[in-house]
Amino acid sequence: MSLITIENLSYETSNKKLYQNANLKINKGEHIALIGPNGSGKTTLLNIINQNIKPDQGKITFASNVKIGYLDQHLVVNNDLTVDQYLKTNYQALFDKETKMNDLYQAMAENYQEKMLEQALKIQHELDVSEFNTINKIINNLIIGLNIDKILLNQKLASVSGGQKSKILLAKLLLSNYDLLLLDEPTNFLDIKQINWLANFLQTYPQAFIVVSHDQKFVNQIAKIIYEIDNLVFNRYVGNYDDYLALKDLHHKQYEKKYKVQQGQIKKMQEFIAKNKAKASKAKSAQSRVKQLAKMDIMAKPQKDQLPPNFHFESKRTTNNIILSSHNLIIGYQKPLIKPINFTIKAGEKWLVSGDNGVGKTTLLQTITGYIKPLKGKINFADNLSIGYFQQIITLKDLTAIQYLQELNNQLTDFQIKTLLANFGIKRGLMFQSIKTLSGGEQTKVQLAALSTKQYHLLIMDEPTNHLDNNAKMALLNAINKFSGSVILTTHDLNFDQTWANHSLNFSDLAVGK
């Protein structure tokens, strides 16, 4: 049974065509991964399916009463709800019934009435039929699987950190009874254990889903259908990511062959029309060719594989051998997250900070950069140490990419900024758009480009591979290897090579209580 059928879809932004006469079908229970480079239109397609965006042309047919749940990269929710209230939203009617039943039993304790008992037993039956007694267990399993801190349950969503909030939104969606889930980069705020848990969950998920992800291993685990956005259409491959790779090259060759044949046909018809349209004896035949051309479904020119962008970061020379050290450093908020920590970072050293979610990796980076103060202990900095900081979560201003970089360094000319953005894979049209309208990968590239506007002794990067496609990850890895300054970086991306690091700090070994 088809849930959604998309026919002859076309859509373009102010500076780029994304789809042209594209077709896609989503069947009941299908497990789909949607792939393509940054800016190819993956998130836009999810928004079209969710009816947040209206396409330029095309027909979209929905099955009767189909229910769609969407987890996007910038989901807006009611921040006044507590985490517990938010997770139980779908079951609120049942919890209200439970409250009513308990009120009846309480009233009967003071003034027993047969009618009250009948009402209470009826509600109890309704709750039993709805398997109400399993709801808390289901919610608890999700909380444990996604490692959502139970301390947060009574806190309002407004006070929850970005990483935890993303997991809470994902948990809420997985609790919902949707026919189709749209998941945009669901692993970005998950550690390796949680990614594996989610993969196992989705493997046995009974309903359909479309996942957008650049995590090849994750896609390989969950997908049974791959849709790739390529040459302005959606190419369907049956199988996982490995199967897709095996079939893609053959598909490209077939497409190029068909394109060349069609171009040859078009050229012959155009030459015939130009030669014979003025001849009375051939005018009818020429007009027939004109009609044939008008009806022809013109194939888009084959797009070449994108070359990796040219990321680069400027280092600043230092005469200090030791640029950063800690002495009995304790980080956290009200309570310590880890045991006292001592480390020394020398000029040019590259450090990988690893560990499960919630153990304090981001907190350490924010403590080093001065966003929060240590609970105890001390961090010693070399004199005049210059630090560049890539934050995992940032509130973007309503500026274009050019304006954003100009604000960071007004010494750069327009030409220098445009060249820099182009090197980081931000094409000319995108430079003049508000950063808020760019895709997640494009926003990340702008943030990385911002680090290139100045020279630094130390680069601190918190999950910089989130949202990046494989070409961009290669460019980032190359830039880190070439950077002669020091680097501190966190990542959960198993596809991101880690041989660049000559030192590591594993927070899982430092957790309080271990």
Side-chain angles (χ1 to χ4, degrees):
M1 174 187 170
S2 176
L3 295 177
I4 299 173
T5 302
I6 297 175
E7 300 172 276
N8 300 318
L9 180 72
S10 293
Y11 183 79
E12 59 182 291
T13 63
S14 58
N15 61 77
K16 185 179 181 182
K17 183 179 286 187
L18 296 179
Y19 330 117
Q20 179 180 298
N21 297 323
N23 300 290
L24 180 146
K25 182 181 284 188
I26 304 163
N27 296 316
K28 185 177 180 180
E30 281 190 332
H31 293 179
I32 299 169
L34 179 64
I35 64 174
N38 291 144
S40 60
K42 300 183 297 298
T43 296
T44 300
L45 178 60
L46 296 190
N47 275 293
I48 288 174
I49 292 172
N50 202 46
Q51 301 182 73
N52 298 333
I53 294 177
K54 188 176 180 179
D56 297 331
Q57 70 174 47
K59 181 181 178 183
I60 305 177
T61 306
F62 296 88
S64 178
N65 300 317
V66 63
K67 293 181 291 183
I68 300 173
Y70 184 24
L71 177 74
D72 69 7
Q73 297 169 3
H74 315 288
L75 191 62
V76 177
V77 296
N78 182 356
N79 284 315
D80 289 331
L81 293 176
T82 66
V83 173
D84 187 60
Q85 288 171 333
Y86 180 69
L87 290 176
K88 292 178 177 177
T89 302
N90 293 341
Y91 308 102
Q92 193 57 52
L94 295 177
F95 281 103
D96 289 344
K97 285 185 178 182
E98 183 193 39
T99 300
K100 184 178 180 180
M101 180 184 70
N102 291 335
D103 289 345
L104 286 167
Y105 282 125
Q106 182 66 36
M108 281 190 289
E110 299 173 6
N111 180 21
Y112 176 81
Q113 294 182 30
E114 192 72 26
K115 278 188 177 181
M116 287 185 180
L117 179 60
E118 289 175 0
Q119 281 183 282
L121 291 174
K122 183 181 178 182
I123 294 173
Q124 181 67 64
H125 176 70
E126 291 172 355
L127 293 176
D128 290 342
V129 170
S130 302
E131 297 184 339
F132 177 73
N133 62 327
T134 67
I135 291 173
N136 285 321
K137 183 179 179 181
I138 293 169
I139 292 174
N140 191 56
N141 287 341
L142 281 167
I143 288 172
I144 293 171
L146 294 173
N147 195 28
I148 297 170
D149 193 339
K150 291 187 178 181
I151 296 174
L152 301 175
L153 291 176
N154 294 319
Q155 292 185 23
K156 289 188 176 182
L157 283 166
S159 66
V160 176
S161 69
Q164 285 285 339
K165 189 173 183 178
S166 294
K167 292 192 288 185
I168 291 163
L169 303 184
L170 176 59
K172 166 67 163 55
L173 199 65
L174 297 178
L175 285 167
S176 307
N177 187 29
Y178 292 113
D179 300 300
L180 173 65
L181 293 183
L182 307 176
L183 305 177
D184 197 354
E185 302 280 5
T187 64
N188 274 355
F189 296 96
L190 305 182
D191 61 29
I192 295 167
K193 289 181 182 177
Q194 293 151 28
I195 291 172
N196 287 332
W197 179 89
L198 179 61
N200 290 330
F201 183 94
L202 291 177
Q203 283 170 0
T204 57
Y205 189 71
Q207 309 297 349
F209 62 71
I210 302 178
V211 168
V212 170
S213 178
H214 295 292
D215 186 332
Q216 295 175 6
K217 181 182 177 183
F218 178 69
V219 169
N220 222 22
Q221 289 175 289
I222 64 162
K224 294 180 180 177
I225 302 291
I226 302 285
Y227 269 107
E228 180 190 32
I229 301 177
D230 187 35
N231 290 315
L232 309 182
V233 297
F234 312 125
N235 294 323
R236 178 184 171 97
Y237 299 89
V238 177
N240 60 16
Y241 194 85
D242 287 342
D243 298 322
Y244 148 76
L245 289 176
L247 294 169
K248 180 181 177 181
D249 186 56
L250 175 63
H251 184 274
H252 268 210
K253 288 176 180 177
Q254 290 174 339
Y255 186 92
E256 288 176 357
K257 186 177 180 179
K258 288 180 181 178
Y259 176 80
K260 287 179 181 178
V261 170
Q262 187 185 67
Q263 287 297 302
Q265 293 171 339
I266 291 171
K267 185 178 179 182
K268 284 182 180 179
M269 283 192 280
Q270 288 174 335
E271 288 174 348
F272 184 91
I273 293 166
K275 184 178 180 181
N276 297 293
K277 63 182 178 180
K279 295 179 181 179
S281 60
K282 297 284 186 179
K284 191 173 181 180
S285 296
Q287 188 60 34
S288 176
R289 301 292 198 285
V290 170
K291 290 179 180 178
Q292 287 179 40
L293 273 176
K295 292 179 180 179
M296 186 177 286
D297 186 8
I298 307 297
M299 298 172 69
K301 185 177 181 180
Q303 298 176 347
K304 295 180 180 178
D305 289 338
Q306 294 183 8
L307 295 174
N310 181 24
F311 292 4
H312 65 282
F313 306 114
E314 298 291 335
S315 60
K316 199 171 186 178
R317 288 189 177 184
T318 178
T319 57
N320 298 288
N321 182 39
I322 296 175
I323 63 165
L324 182 69
S325 64
S326 72
H327 179 69
N328 292 333
L329 178 66
I330 298 178
I331 62 170
Y333 299 90
Q334 287 79 22
K335 295 181 180 180
L337 288 171
I338 60 170
K339 301 170 185 176
I341 182 174
N342 296 282
F343 59 84
T344 299
I345 298 178
K346 297 180 180 180
E349 287 184 344
K350 295 181 172 64
W351 285 65
L352 175 67
V353 181
S354 60
D356 298 337
N357 265 347
V359 295
K361 301 186 301 298
T362 295
T363 305
L364 172 66
L365 304 189
Q366 290 179 332
T367 304
I368 293 173
T369 51
Y371 281 76
I372 60 175
K373 293 181 180 180
L375 293 180
K376 286 185 180 180
K378 188 177 181 182
I379 301 177
N380 301 303
F381 299 91
D383 292 340
N384 302 315
L385 183 69
S386 178
I387 300 176
Y389 183 26
F390 177 94
Q391 298 181 66
Q392 184 177 175
I393 300 172
I394 187 171
T395 302
L396 294 168
K397 296 182 179 180
D398 191 14
L399 300 172
T400 67
I402 292 174
Q403 292 169 335
Y404 180 58
L405 266 59
Q406 284 173 334
E407 191 177 84
L408 292 172
N409 188 343
N410 59 17
Q411 300 299 311
L412 295 175
T413 65
D414 278 0
F415 178 77
Q416 287 174 317
I417 288 175
K418 290 174 184 176
T419 301
L420 192 155
L421 286 169
N423 284 336
F424 277 79
I426 303 299
K427 296 180 179 179
R428 185 169 181 82
L430 299 176
M431 299 179 190
F432 299 94
Q433 284 184 217
S434 169
I435 302 173
K436 291 183 177 181
T437 67
L438 301 180
S439 71
E442 289 161 349
Q443 289 181 2
T444 297
K445 289 175 183 177
V446 172
Q447 285 180 255
L448 290 170
L451 290 180
S452 193
T453 61
K454 297 178 182 179
Q455 295 180 333
Y456 296 106
H457 298 116
L458 170 65
L459 289 179
I460 295 179
M461 297 184 173
D462 193 2
E463 299 289 349
T465 63
N466 281 355
H467 304 297
L468 292 182
D469 59 31
N470 295 324
N471 274 347
K473 289 177 187 178
M474 288 171 56
L476 176 61
L477 180 63
N478 187 49
I480 290 172
N481 281 322
K482 288 184 177 180
F483 182 67
S484 60
S486 301
V487 175
I488 304 175
L489 184 146
T490 69
T491 181
H492 293 125
D493 191 343
L494 292 176
N495 301 295
F496 190 66
D497 182 80
Q498 297 179 0
T499 57
W500 55 268
N502 44 36
H503 294 274
S504 64
L505 189 61
N506 190 338
F507 265 49
S508 297
D509 298 333
L510 297 169
V512 173
K514 284 198 172 184

